[in-house]
Amino acid sequence: MQNLQKLYEITSDSALSYSQKMVALLQLGVDYFQLELGIISHIEGELYTVSYAISPANDLLSGTTFNLGDTYCVHTLATNQALSFYHAGQSHIAQHPCYLNLGLESYIGAPIVVEGKRFGTINFSASAPRNQPFSTEELSFIELLSHWVGNEIARHEKLTLLKEQQKLMARQQDILEQMGQVAGVGAWELDLTDGKLYWSSVMKDIHEVEQDFIPDLVNGLNFYKEGENQTRITECVRRLMAHGGNFSGEFEIITQKGTPKWAAVKGKAELDEGKCVRLVGAFQDITEQVNSREQLEHRHKELSLALEARSLFLANMSHEIRTPINGVLGMLQILESSSLDTEQTRFLGLAKDSATSLLGIINDILDFTKIDSGKLALETVPIDLNQVLDNCVDIFNPRAKEKSIQLVKQLENTQGASIITDPTRLRQICANLLSNALKFTHQGQVSITTNLTLQKKGMATLTIAVKDTGVGLTQEQQALLFSPFNQADVSTTRKFGGTGLGLSITRKLCQLMSGDVSVKSVLNKGSVFSAQIEVGIMAKSAHSAEPEMAVSQTKDLSNLHVLVVEDNEINQVVIGEMLKQRQITYDIVNDGLEALAILEVEKSSMNPYTLILMDCQMPNMDGYQTTQHIRQLSSNVASIPIIALTANALSEEREKCFASGMNEYLSKPVDQANLYTMLEKFI
């Protein structure tokens, strides 16, 4: 009974550490059995390790290992119960390695079991034999000791695991807290069993409360701005509590210090047997992001308004510049058909060249703007490649002849090639390269070479190379050559003219057509510009042998009766003279209101109008509004074909004209031949 009391005192003493308890239990056994050596071992396979020991000179250290077969414990484990020898030298184990090597005469031991699994043994021994065998009481005590030691080991392992888990959780919590501090993300948890709400330190920082602030569901929701934000978060929490699931959203809060903030809030329900028991979530201050987003949205609106204003400005500029140019070129075309002497003809040619040059500058600026804003649409039509290029090159023959420069066509590689592309933009690329080459070449020649390289099925790469013997370029000049508004030298504009947009437009057109343009040049020796675009390939049988643009035969237009709606006096004269030359009868009015008035009078006339030429931008009532009103008049007037005359060259102008009810579209300055071709459609 006394030993049991000591056993209880040792195991229940909270002041003793686990190791101290193990040593105290061994000491209790040594004293009880009157033996000199006590061991608690841990056995794994055939390895016997001393966990704790008491020895006469303390020479048996923890961690010492033996082969299990060299210890008496091998027999203890074999019997799986308490085992003892009181005089080993006179027993059947007299030849055991433990007796032969260590001379242990007396031994008593028992297996240690921890939660149903073998751990090792507790054993006591001495080099002297006992006078008599170990008693039943002693065997019972060693088994009791083994049970108590096993329980202490199990308890220690669980406490150790719990402490490790607590340390891990504390470390993870600390990491999460630090991550939250760095990222500005707080965490919250609402336990619905006790109604307690937990806020991380970041949550408290965001809400500008003290760290000892105790949140609850009511005061937590009250931080949300009254009105829509508070109503919305309350509904989100209520829905989670009732149905589970999750939510996320952006909410405005008012901190304890009265600071308005925006927060990204996420929440998730945790269920137990279908019932919501906990809500957990994250909370992040996104005030800066929201403010930045609002600034970007505001800036986007400003940019949209600026782009709209730019488009309107370009449209107005196009109209204001093209209108007088229309008058100049129109009058020059009319004058050209009159009787002129040689000097007058020369002067007229100079005037036409100047007007055409001015128109080219305007077209460059408008083309660049359309490409830059992504509003340039490409056509895809079948063409005879060499026919288009021949016509384009031939236009430059007079200029080459004036400068005594030989203009050479080397189009043999593409002879008979039928391709699918945008012929207008193909001409523009070719014309820009030729114009540039002729501008900077003072003697020698300019040549154009073409080549087709088949790619994937039905597609090919068209290369147009223009070589000149002109002034050439330095490496520095080549680096800036394709940038908008840049020319090779600051004096280039003064000496040669131009906008510095031609090559930039050429590159953008090539890129729109899945290609690019490059240059190789040597100063004072010449340059080679190579443009590449992707084109479709047609079978020869599918290509029409007819010319790309049929030459229209002259038709009698004298049966037309045209109403011209135009506010500019010069353009009135130009259009009138052009109509006169084809014996077309016409009337001219100054704006849309006058047009509606004359149409009202003329609707019962014996000679009604067969066509209307409608300017788009006019005072009082513009061409779009006038057209819409005409289409609502009586049927014989409402169906009169209307051709738009507009100085706005932007692509959306065409759609706007058709949307208002117009039938066709002519851009100013109106070319005389184009006007007649358009009128012939309505005979």
Side-chain angles (χ1 to χ4, degrees):
M1 182 64 76
Q2 184 179 1
N3 290 319
L4 290 176
Q5 180 65 31
K6 289 182 179 180
L7 185 60
Y8 174 75
E9 290 174 357
I10 293 171
T11 55
S12 62
D13 189 351
S14 60
L16 295 176
S17 68
Y18 169 70
S19 297
Q20 290 172 330
K21 288 181 179 181
M22 293 293 104
V23 173
L25 289 171
L26 285 177
Q27 188 63 55
L28 177 63
V30 168
D31 294 341
Y32 176 76
F33 294 115
Q34 294 296 300
L35 298 173
E36 58 190 24
L37 185 64
I39 299 174
I40 294 175
S41 67
H42 184 210
I43 300 172
E44 290 181 307
E46 295 300 315
L47 184 64
Y48 178 104
T49 304
V50 176
S51 296
Y52 298 95
I54 289 181
S55 58
N58 293 323
D59 52 357
L60 183 58
L61 302 177
S62 297
T64 303
T65 61
F66 301 95
N67 186 292
L68 176 61
D70 294 338
T71 68
Y72 291 147
C73 291
V74 67
H75 300 292
T76 304
L77 295 180
T79 59
N80 200 29
Q81 60 184 4
L83 181 69
S84 65
F85 304 102
Y86 75 100
H87 196 170
Q90 295 181 4
S91 70
H92 68 280
I93 61 169
Q95 298 303 312
H96 195 280
C98 188
Y99 180 76
L100 296 175
N101 296 330
L102 302 175
L104 295 177
E105 289 283 1
S106 53
Y107 166 87
I108 184 170
I112 298 173
V113 177
V114 177
E115 294 190 332
K117 294 182 180 180
R118 187 187 75 180
F119 178 85
T121 62
I122 180 170
N123 60 87
F124 301 91
S125 58
S127 57
R130 282 170 59 103
N131 295 327
Q132 57 186 5
F134 289 91
S135 66
T136 303
E137 181 182 343
E138 288 174 320
L139 290 172
S140 297
F141 186 72
I142 190 71
E143 288 189 340
L144 181 62
L145 270 178
S146 73
H147 287 307
W148 281 70
V149 170
N151 289 336
E152 282 297 321
I153 293 173
R155 180 171 174 272
H156 174 69
E157 287 182 346
K158 288 183 178 178
L159 286 174
T160 301
L161 180 60
L162 180 60
K163 288 178 181 178
E164 289 177 353
Q165 289 176 339
Q166 288 174 338
K167 287 181 181 179
L168 179 61
M169 290 178 65
R171 188 163 58 251
Q172 290 176 337
Q173 182 67 30
D174 184 57
I175 292 172
L176 288 173
E177 195 70 38
Q178 291 183 39
M179 289 175 61
Q181 292 284 355
V182 172
V185 179
W188 59 270
E189 179 182 85
L190 176 61
D191 191 333
L192 298 180
T193 58
D194 57 16
K196 289 184 178 180
L197 177 63
Y198 162 79
W199 278 6
S200 70
S201 61
V202 178
M203 280 283 290
K204 294 177 181 179
D205 290 340
I206 294 174
H207 287 80
E208 295 184 324
V209 298
E210 299 296 333
Q211 287 299 314
D212 59 357
F213 175 79
I214 301 176
D216 57 45
L217 184 57
V218 175
N219 64 29
L221 293 175
N222 284 339
F223 278 102
Y224 290 81
K225 187 176 181 180
E226 289 185 1
E228 185 267 340
N229 285 275
Q230 198 170 100
T231 301
R232 188 155 50 93
I233 188 65
T234 302
E235 176 59 25
C236 287
V237 172
R238 186 202 64 77
R239 189 175 66 252
L240 281 192
M241 294 168 64
H243 306 291
N246 56 73
F247 79 89
S248 64
E250 295 181 358
F251 300 86
E252 189 173 7
I253 65 168
I254 306 297
T255 70
Q256 193 170 56
K257 294 182 179 180
T259 307
K261 292 183 178 181
W262 279 95
V265 186
K266 291 188 176 183
K268 179 181 179 182
E270 291 187 2
L271 305 180
D272 184 8
E273 296 182 354
K275 181 181 178 182
C276 182
V277 295
R278 184 180 293 103
L279 303 182
V280 294
F283 195 97
Q284 183 178 21
D285 183 352
I286 58 168
T287 305
E288 289 187 8
Q289 294 93 311
V290 171
N291 290 338
S292 297
R293 186 173 64 204
E294 289 177 350
Q295 290 175 4
L296 285 173
E297 289 174 354
H298 180 68
R299 182 61 179 156
H300 178 71
K301 289 180 181 178
E302 288 182 341
L303 289 173
S304 297
L305 291 174
L307 288 172
E308 187 177 343
R310 186 183 77 166
S311 295
L312 182 60
F313 170 77
L314 287 171
N316 289 334
M317 285 296 294
S318 175
H319 179 269
E320 294 301 324
I321 296 175
R322 281 173 174 268
T323 296
I325 292 179
N326 181 59
V328 172
L329 283 174
M331 293 304 294
L332 291 175
Q333 288 181 68
I334 294 168
L335 186 60
E336 193 173 26
S337 62
S338 62
S339 300
L340 299 172
D341 59 32
T342 303
E343 188 174 19
Q344 289 172 332
T345 301
R346 186 171 68 86
F347 289 162
L348 178 62
L350 292 173
K352 282 186 66 178
D353 286 346
S354 297
T356 302
S357 176
L358 179 58
L359 182 61
I361 291 172
I362 295 167
N363 287 338
D364 275 355
I365 295 172
L366 293 175
D367 275 346
F368 179 80
T369 304
K370 284 189 284 185
I371 296 170
D372 201 42
S373 61
K375 294 183 177 180
L376 185 71
L378 296 175
E379 287 185 301
T380 51
V381 296
I383 62 168
D384 182 316
L385 174 58
N386 277 16
Q387 182 176 306
V388 171
L389 294 178
D390 271 329
N391 293 339
C392 182
V393 176
D394 289 346
I395 293 173
F396 291 91
N397 280 328
R399 191 187 306 182
K401 188 175 181 181
E402 285 177 9
K403 299 185 72 174
S404 300
I405 295 171
Q406 186 180 6
L407 185 56
V408 180
K409 291 186 285 189
Q410 297 174 329
L411 311 180
E412 298 83 6
N413 291 338
T414 52
Q415 186 64 40
S418 301
I419 65 171
I420 299 174
T421 190
D422 185 325
T424 302
R425 300 307 166 188
L426 176 61
R427 288 192 204 94
Q428 192 171 0
I429 292 170
C430 179
N432 280 349
L433 295 181
L434 288 170
S435 175
N436 192 70
L438 288 169
K439 181 189 292 186
F440 296 103
T441 301
H442 307 304
Q443 60 183 4
Q445 71 174 27
V446 171
S447 63
I448 179 171
T449 307
T450 56
N451 191 53
L452 271 176
T453 305
L454 292 176
Q455 303 294 344
K456 54 189 176 182
K457 185 177 181 181
M459 301 301 294
T461 298
L462 170 63
T463 301
I464 302 173
V466 175
K467 182 179 181 180
D468 64 61
T469 56
V471 296
L473 298 161
T474 65
Q475 291 294 324
E476 292 78 9
Q477 290 171 338
Q478 292 178 49
L480 298 172
L481 196 59
F482 296 103
S483 300
F485 308 107
N486 274 313
Q487 294 192 331
D489 188 83
V490 291
S491 63
T492 301
T493 302
R494 295 193 301 271
K495 186 175 181 181
F496 296 101
T499 60
L501 287 174
L503 290 176
S504 176
I505 291 171
T506 300
R507 164 159 281 181
K508 288 180 178 291
L509 287 174
C510 288
Q511 290 173 344
L512 277 175
M513 302 170 83
S514 302
D516 207 343
V517 64
S518 60
V519 61
K520 293 181 180 179
S521 183
V522 178
L523 189 64
N524 299 321
K525 290 189 178 180
S527 307
V528 179
F529 286 82
S530 298
Q532 291 184 328
I533 62 172
E534 190 175 88
V535 299
I537 294 294
M538 289 182 60
K540 289 186 178 181
S541 59
H543 177 65
S544 172
E546 295 180 2
E548 182 204 1
M549 295 187 64
V551 179
S552 59
Q553 298 177 353
T554 301
K555 296 181 181 179
D556 183 10
L557 302 178
S558 60
N559 62 333
L560 292 176
H561 186 201
V562 178
L563 175 62
V564 180
V565 187
E566 169 66 66
D567 65 306
N568 185 276
E569 292 183 8
I570 295 176
N571 287 338
Q572 289 177 356
V573 173
V574 170
I575 295 297
E577 289 299 321
M578 288 181 176
L579 295 177
K580 280 182 185 178
Q581 290 189 10
R582 294 295 293 269
Q583 291 80 47
I584 300 170
T585 60
Y586 64 92
D587 293 313
I588 296 177
V589 294
N590 296 300
D591 57 40
L593 293 177
E594 291 185 15
L596 292 175
I598 197 170
L599 286 172
E600 184 66 28
V601 173
E602 292 291 321
K603 65 182 179 181
S604 57
S605 171
M606 298 298 293
N607 184 24
Y609 292 114
T610 54
L611 197 67
I612 299 174
L613 296 176
M614 180 75 71
D615 186 25
C616 290
Q617 293 189 357
M618 297 178 293
N620 301 322
M621 182 181 288
D622 63 30
Y624 315 111
Q625 295 172 316
T626 305
T627 300
Q628 291 170 352
H629 281 290
I630 291 172
R631 295 309 183 209
Q632 296 173 2
L633 298 176
S634 59
S635 59
N636 61 327
V637 176
S639 59
I640 298 175
I642 300 175
I643 300 173
L645 301 177
T646 177
N648 184 350
L650 299 181
S651 59
E652 56 265 30
E653 177 68 12
R654 185 182 185 91
E655 285 72 28
K656 189 175 180 181
C657 291
F658 291 150
S660 67
M662 299 181 188
N663 300 86
E664 281 292 355
Y665 173 100
L666 280 174
S667 179
K668 295 179 181 178
V670 177
D671 181 78
Q672 198 168 0
N674 289 343
L675 174 63
Y676 296 151
T677 300
M678 184 69 72
L679 295 177
E680 288 174 1
K681 294 182 179 181
F682 298 96
I683 296 177

